[in-house]
Amino acid sequence: MAMLEVRELPELIASLPADHVEKSVRLLADDDFATQMRALINERSQRLFAEQEVSRSFC
């Protein structure tokens, strides 16, 4: 979740198990949405290296 927050991708953050299933199904079923999310993830990947809070959350 921290990685998605740093990348500013609230569309992929699930707070409940049902949300997680819904978002996963949408990524599989909606090619445009999946392509958009991939592009945003790639565009914002460098934020993970600049933000130390993300790496600390895995410790």
Side-chain angles (χ1 to χ4, degrees):
M1 189 165 130
M3 292 189 313
L4 296 174
E5 288 175 345
V6 168
R7 287 180 174 165
E8 296 180 20
L9 295 168
E11 303 90 343
L12 298 179
I13 296 174
S15 57
L16 301 170
D19 293 338
H20 179 74
V21 171
E22 179 185 335
K23 292 172 187 307
S24 297
V25 168
R26 184 172 181 202
L27 284 169
L28 291 171
D30 186 341
D31 290 335
D32 291 335
F33 179 69
T35 299
Q36 178 188 15
M37 292 299 105
R38 269 193 228 84
L40 289 173
I41 289 168
N42 289 333
E43 174 186 310
R44 299 172 182 176
S45 288
Q46 291 302 319
R47 295 180 187 188
L48 293 178
F49 301 109
E51 179 60 51
Q52 296 300 310
E53 184 176 330
V54 174
S55 58
R56 284 193 297 268
S57 70
F58 286 102
C59 295

